[in-house]
Amino acid sequence: MANRWINDRTDRDVTPERIFLNRRQIMGGALAGAGLAGLAGPAVAAPEGLEPNSFEDITSYNNYYEFGTGKDDPARYADALTTRPWAVRIDGLVDKPGEYAFEDIMKAMTIEERIYKFRCVEAWSMVVPWNGFELADLLDLAGVQNGARYVAFETVLRPEEMPGVAYPVLDWPYVEGLRLDEAMHPLTIMATGIYGRDIPNQNGAPLRLVVPWKYGFKSIKSVVRITLTDKEPPTSWNRANPREYGFYSNVNPQVDHPRWSQSTERQIGGGLFSRRIPTLMLNGYQDEVADLYTGMDLRKNI
Ligand SMILES: Nc1nc2c(c(=O)[nH]1)N[C@H]1C(S)=C(S)[C@@H](COP(=O)(O)O)O[C@H]1N2
Ligand SMILES: [Mo]
């Protein structure tokens, strides 16, 4: 493979220390403001201090349409996905395009725990203790060029390992996109683990995006390509149903999905007694991310 990146650098080379510290300081500030646990705990906790779901809940109730549209299909079929060796192609408007081996990425990144609430557009939610690294650190590694404004993501496409792609539910491969500032935000992570264990295939092994203030479908799984571009990239759900799914897909309890309300969510877990709770603007991460949307109408730009 041409241009394979060799890991001969330390974290410090990867991200200029000033920016690196800044990002951690931002997180520290968010923590202090919310009055949550100190430095010993995860860098960011779920809004309202919600209890994490069990490993069992998180890994048995999934959406990963490449393995079928049922909530238990991913747990049943995703084992067939080969996740080693793995590489992510980073290309487009970057200084160092190429295939980045998963092991090399892991060596270069700082892995942290982040407990995030996750809100699916189908009006259920979970709290997940992810392990992963900031997407910004990976993008810094590749060197984002000046003209870049968006980041496009692509999931692996392996019909022989993915029974669901035989059905044209979505245009395969699954694709997603973020604006560059959303991608660089310290809350945006690439998850590689759950509860300190390697991320299971049904949750998007070996690495998947997590953007806690957006609906779950923005969190693209098993990423093989990241492209920096100057144009808004296509997204699978917008392509499939532009009337129901926009590019931003920010959690907004005030804007109903055309077929259901988004004002409450059902908490997964607790069996028969699963509770409904009010959905919060930007999924409760408003203090951290509202600035990204200053001057934008979050009812129109959905
Ligand atoms: N490649 C791919 N990524 C995907 C999906 C998918 O079908 N394919 N589903 C999305 C949706 S709708 C949700 S709610 C989350 C579910 O993540 P989880 O199974 O880890 O809870 O993954 C998102 N990422
Ligand atoms: Mo979802």
Side-chain angles (χ1 to χ4, degrees):
M1 266 172 252
N3 251 329
R4 179 178 284 271
W5 174 70
I6 309 293
N7 182 29
D8 56 0
R9 306 189 290 176
T10 67
D11 287 344
R12 223 162 264 197
D13 301 315
V14 167
T15 309
E17 188 153 38
R18 188 178 48 79
I19 300 173
F20 188 82
L21 280 177
N22 267 343
R23 277 208 287 273
R24 266 76 195 171
Q25 279 159 1
I26 292 167
M27 302 324 306
L31 260 181
L36 299 167
L39 283 172
V44 190
E48 308 170 334
L50 294 167
E51 277 296 304
N53 279 85
S54 66
F55 187 80
E56 173 67 19
D57 283 345
I58 296 166
T59 60
S60 61
Y61 189 91
N62 301 100
N63 274 333
Y64 196 162
Y65 278 20
E66 287 88 332
F67 296 98
T69 55
K71 297 285 174 257
D72 49 1
D73 286 336
R76 213 182 284 162
Y77 301 117
D79 269 358
L81 184 69
T82 314
T83 60
R84 300 290 191 282
W86 194 271
V88 182
R89 180 179 179 74
I90 307 182
D91 61 7
L93 299 169
V94 290
D95 295 333
K96 285 160 279 178
E99 298 275 335
Y100 289 69
F102 179 67
E103 288 72 23
D104 294 338
I105 292 173
M106 290 299 273
K107 275 183 226 150
M109 295 293 119
T110 306
I111 306 294
E112 299 173 52
E113 184 186 55
R114 299 281 183 92
I115 302 179
Y116 286 166
K117 179 146 76 73
F118 182 90
R119 208 284 193 187
C120 179
V121 75
E122 296 164 289
W124 50 266
S125 69
M126 278 193 220
V127 178
V128 183
W130 302 107
N131 308 99
F133 55 84
E134 293 184 13
L135 174 60
D137 289 338
L138 180 61
L139 297 181
D140 285 347
L141 196 69
V144 177
Q145 294 182 341
N146 272 335
R149 292 184 55 220
Y150 295 92
V151 187
F153 302 84
E154 196 175 302
T155 293
V156 71
L157 178 56
R158 298 225 192 98
E160 57 306 345
E161 296 180 350
M162 297 173 141
V165 304
Y167 306 92
V169 212
L170 293 171
D171 254 352
W172 313 109
Y174 194 101
V175 292
E176 256 306 335
L178 295 173
R179 220 168 56 189
L180 183 62
D181 58 345
E182 298 176 322
M184 295 300 262
H185 193 279
L187 284 182
T188 302
I189 59 168
M190 296 301 296
T192 57
I194 293 174
Y195 274 112
R197 297 152 72 165
D198 282 352
I199 194 167
N201 285 4
Q202 59 267 38
N203 295 88
L207 81 172
R208 59 87 65 83
L209 179 68
V210 180
V211 193
W213 68 94
K214 293 179 182 279
Y215 290 113
F217 64 86
K218 296 296 280 185
S219 299
I220 183 171
K221 295 180 171 180
S222 309
V223 171
V224 286
R225 188 171 182 187
I226 299 177
T227 307
L228 281 289
T229 132
D230 58 354
K231 286 179 203 67
E232 189 182 284
T235 72
S236 284
W237 285 100
N238 176 255
R239 262 185 190 160
N241 196 338
R243 210 176 66 86
E244 298 188 2
Y245 307 106
F247 177 78
Y248 285 94
S249 305
N250 288 328
V251 173
N252 187 344
Q254 294 162 16
V255 177
D256 291 343
H257 183 278
R259 289 181 282 137
W260 56 79
S261 160
Q262 293 290 16
S263 66
T264 64
E265 63 206 46
R266 182 173 55 87
Q267 290 181 303
I268 298 299
L272 290 174
F273 305 100
S274 72
R275 274 201 311 154
R276 287 200 88 85
I277 55 170
T279 291
L280 302 175
M281 182 60 96
L282 295 167
N283 204 26
Y285 298 93
Q286 201 170 5
D287 289 350
E288 289 92 338
V289 301
D291 281 357
L292 294 172
Y293 308 106
T294 310
M296 254 178 75
D297 185 345
L298 291 179
R299 291 171 156 276
K300 287 201 188 108
N301 291 284
I302 57 163

